[in-house]
Amino acid sequence: MTTDSTPAISPPAIFKQILKPGFLAFFLLTWIIANTSAADSKSPLIPIGAARVDITPDYPVRLSGYGSRTAWNDGVEQKLWARALVIGDKEPVVMVTVDSIAVPGSIAELAAKQLKDKFGISRARVVLAGTHSHNAPHPARDYLPTIFATSLSEEEWRAVDRYGQQMLQGIVQAVSMAIQKQKPCSLSWAQGSAGFAVNRRKVKNVASTQVDHALPLLAARDEKGEVVAMLVNYACHCTTLGAVNYVCGDWAGYASDGMEQDHEGAVGLVMIGCGADANPRDRGNGKLAVTKSHGTEIAREVQRLLGKKMIPLKALPEVKFQFVDLPLEAAPSRAEIEQTAATDKRSQRRHLAQRLLKKMDSGEALATTVSLPVQTWRFGNALAMVFLGGEVVVDYALKLKQIYGPDRLWVSAYCNDTPCYIPSVRILNEGGYEADFSMIYYAKPARFQPQVEPTLLKSITAMLPDNWQKQNK
Ligand SMILES: [Zn+2]
C-alpha cells in the first residue's frame, strides 16, 4: 500500500488554480528565483570596476623571452593591454594583469607606490601579474639581464626604458579607470579546466608528466546580471607562437579577446599558474591558428562556467603580503668565473660571468638568496588565492592542493616580480633547464639549495590559517 497526502486535482480544477492571481504571482516568483544564479541571489553587492589600457608600442622594440632573437620587432599581430579589476571602495583589492613577459619587480614596486600615493591603496592589496607572453617587449634593464647572447645596443636599451615607462603608466591608468567605472556587483567563482598544457621536461630521456589543468574563474556581475569582469588562471607557458618576431599576447591575449567578445564592455583578465615547466600542446614557429584555438578553449570554458551555479564570495578578502628569502648554493670562485668568461662556448654563460666579475670589481657581493614576493587573498572559507612571484614549477601548486584541497584553492605565479624560475626538490634532483640553465638567463650566480621548496611552502602555509586545511573544511 502507498500513501499520498496530496489531494487529487482534476484537470479542469488545475486550470482554475493557474488562473488565480495568487498562483500566477507565486509561479512568477518561482521562475525568477530559478533563473537567477546562486551567486546573484546570495552575494551582497560590492563596488567593482574593471578597465583596460592599450600598451602596444608604436615604435620599434626588442621582444623578450627568447635569447635567440637579434633584431627589432617585425610589426604587431595583436594589441597588448594592461587590465585592472578593482574590488571594493573603502579599502579595495586590486588585480592588474599585463600582456607581458612579466611585470618586473622594479616596475611593480613603482606602480604600487603610485597607487598608494594616488588612491591610498596599500601594497598588500595590489597584485601585478604578467601573462608571460614571449611576444611582448623586453620591459626593464634589470629583468632577465643576460637572456640575450650579447648585450643590447644603447638605442635598444633606451627602447626598453621607454616601454617600461609605458607599461607603468598603463597599469596606473587602468586602475584609475577601473575605480571610476565601479558599480554594485556580485562576486562569485567556479573551478573549470582546460587541456592544452603539457609538461615540457625530458631529462635523461625521462619525460615528466605532472601538469595542472585547473581553470579557476572569478566573475563580477552587475545588478542586472551582466558580466563586468572575468579573471581566470591557467598553468601554462604563454608560448604557443614560438620565436616569431612580431608583437602578440599569445594564447592569453586571445583568451582575453574571446571573453571580451562574448561579454561586450566586460574585461577578461588572464593570470598564469604554476606552469613554468608546462608548454602549450602543438606549439611552434608562428602557429597563429593554434594560438587562437588555445585562447578560444579558455574563453569557451569561461562561458560554460558562467552558465553554471557559481560559488558566491560575500565580502572582500583578507590579504597578506611578504617577501621570502630563498637560499642559493654558494657562487663559484673568482677563478672559476674568470675561466668561464674567457672560454665558455655558451655566449649567455660568458655574458653572465662578465657581469659577475664587474660586480665583484665594484665591491658588490654576489647574491646568496632570491627575494620572492608571496601574497594571499582569502575569501572566508570559500576560496584562498595564492600569488607567487617567479616562474614556479607545477609541483608547488599540486602540493598546496594536497594540503588545502583542490576545490577552494587558486595558485598563480608571475605575480609582483619574476626574479627567476622556482624549482622544486624533484626538479633540482633531476636537473635540466628549470633547475640550472635558466638561472644564467636570470643572472643568478648559482642554482637554488634544496631548502627552496620547504622554505617557500612553509611561508605560504603560515599565511593561511591552520583551521583552513583540507581536513577541517
Ligand atoms: Zn618562462
Side-chain angles (χ1 to χ4, degrees):
M1 192 176 97
T2 58
T3 58
D4 186 351
S5 59
T6 311
I9 302 176
S10 62
I14 285 177
F15 290 124
K16 279 183 203 162
Q17 288 273 1
I18 287 171
L19 291 172
K20 282 183 183 170
F23 190 97
L24 277 176
F26 173 75
F27 178 80
L28 192 64
L29 190 65
T30 308
W31 185 88
I32 289 169
I33 290 169
N35 285 279
T36 306
S37 74
D40 295 338
S41 60
K42 290 180 190 166
S43 296
L45 297 177
I46 303 168
I48 295 178
R52 60 177 202 169
V53 169
D54 186 346
I55 53 165
T56 315
D58 59 2
Y59 45 89
V61 289
R62 285 293 303 268
L63 300 184
S64 194
Y66 295 108
S68 56
R69 290 193 184 108
T70 55
W72 296 103
N73 73 300
D74 182 17
V76 175
E77 175 61 34
Q78 186 190 36
K79 285 188 170 185
L80 306 176
W81 300 87
R83 294 176 167 88
L85 169 64
V86 180
I87 305 170
D89 52 358
K90 290 194 182 72
E91 284 193 307
V93 290
V94 174
M95 170 62 64
V96 178
T97 61
V98 184
D99 289 322
S100 173
I101 187 80
V103 180
S106 53
I107 294 177
E109 294 316 307
L110 283 172
K113 187 176 181 314
Q114 290 194 21
L115 296 178
K116 169 84 177 151
D117 294 346
K118 281 180 197 279
F119 308 111
I121 304 169
S122 67
R123 178 66 189 91
R125 308 189 79 80
V126 178
V127 182
L128 297 145
T131 62
H132 206 45
S133 167
H134 283 44
N135 281 66
H138 197 76
R141 289 183 189 238
D142 60 1
Y143 174 72
L144 267 174
T146 35
I147 186 174
F148 299 108
T150 51
S151 185
L152 303 190
S153 69
E154 193 44 41
E155 190 188 1
E156 289 170 327
W157 281 126
R158 278 198 297 274
V160 169
D161 295 339
R162 182 177 175 187
Y163 190 73
Q165 277 301 312
Q166 185 177 347
M167 182 194 288
L168 174 63
Q169 286 165 9
I171 289 169
V172 176
Q173 196 189 342
V175 173
S176 173
M177 286 166 62
I179 290 170
Q180 285 164 22
K181 286 173 69 179
Q182 281 196 324
K183 56 182 170 177
C185 287
S186 64
L187 193 63
S188 57
W189 89 284
Q191 182 78 272
S193 69
F196 64 81
V198 287
N199 197 304
R200 69 185 192 183
R201 283 172 55 80
K202 195 172 187 184
V203 181
K204 293 170 197 148
N205 279 329
V206 178
S208 297
T209 54
Q210 292 87 341
V211 74
D212 180 6
H213 281 161
L215 185 85
L217 165 71
L218 188 75
R221 291 178 170 97
D222 67 14
E223 285 173 289
K224 293 181 204 153
E226 298 287 333
V227 175
V228 167
M230 298 147 279
L231 171 69
V232 292
N233 183 68
Y234 191 57
C236 186
H237 258 76
C238 197
T239 53
T240 313
L241 272 178
V244 288
N245 204 17
Y246 51 74
V247 167
C248 185
D250 209 281
W251 66 257
Y254 291 109
S256 289
D257 274 1
M259 287 186 270
E260 288 165 0
Q261 279 158 19
D262 289 337
H263 299 275
E264 201 184 332
V267 179
L269 304 91
V270 178
M271 305 185 78
I272 309 296
C274 297
D277 43 346
N279 264 340
R281 183 175 286 134
D282 194 26
R283 65 191 286 268
N285 201 16
K287 286 187 177 170
L288 201 54
V290 180
T291 310
K292 288 178 180 175
S293 76
H294 290 156
T296 303
E297 184 176 341
I298 300 274
R300 280 202 188 127
E301 179 67 351
V302 167
Q303 276 298 84
R304 187 184 72 81
L305 293 171
L306 287 171
K308 289 177 54 153
K309 186 174 166 182
M310 294 179 67
I311 300 160
L313 300 174
K314 297 176 180 176
L316 261 60
E318 179 187 294
V319 301
K320 291 186 180 169
F321 183 99
Q322 64 169 327
F323 285 93
V324 178
D325 283 338
L326 302 174
L328 295 171
E329 298 279 9
S333 68
R334 180 167 184 120
E336 286 168 310
I337 297 172
E338 281 173 347
Q339 171 90 357
T340 303
T343 60
D344 202 287
K345 286 189 181 126
R346 294 296 293 259
S347 48
Q348 276 95 344
R349 217 178 250 141
R350 283 200 312 275
H351 190 185
L352 170 62
Q354 288 156 4
R355 184 183 167 95
L356 295 178
L357 289 173
K358 227 186 235 176
K359 270 196 171 192
M360 292 164 104
D361 289 345
S362 68
E364 210 180 314
L366 300 185
T368 56
T369 58
V370 168
S371 178
L372 196 77
V374 179
Q375 192 171 15
T376 54
W377 287 6
R378 188 172 70 88
F379 291 89
N381 283 323
L383 172 67
M385 303 173 86
V386 177
F387 307 117
L388 304 171
E391 301 206 42
V392 185
V393 298
V394 69
D395 293 341
Y396 287 91
L398 299 179
K399 286 191 177 172
L400 287 168
K401 287 178 184 186
Q402 269 175 11
I403 297 169
Y404 294 110
D407 54 347
R408 55 189 187 137
L409 191 69
W410 171 313
V411 190
S412 297
Y414 304 92
C415 292
N416 300 304
D417 193 8
T418 302
C420 57
Y421 276 73
I422 310 297
S424 58
V425 171
R426 172 181 69 86
I427 284 177
L428 285 170
N429 287 337
E430 290 173 1
Y433 179 77
E434 293 82 0
D436 293 304
F437 198 78
S438 66
M439 297 300 266
I440 295 166
Y441 284 170
Y442 278 107
K444 298 293 180 273
R447 66 178 352 221
F448 277 108
Q449 291 182 30
Q451 285 89 335
V452 62
E453 182 180 314
T455 306
L456 181 53
L457 287 175
K458 200 173 158 196
S459 75
I460 299 164
T461 52
M463 292 165 81
L464 296 172
D466 288 348
N467 64 4
W468 208 74
Q469 299 209 354
K470 190 178 174 184
Q471 59 269 32
N472 294 323
K473 189 181 173 186

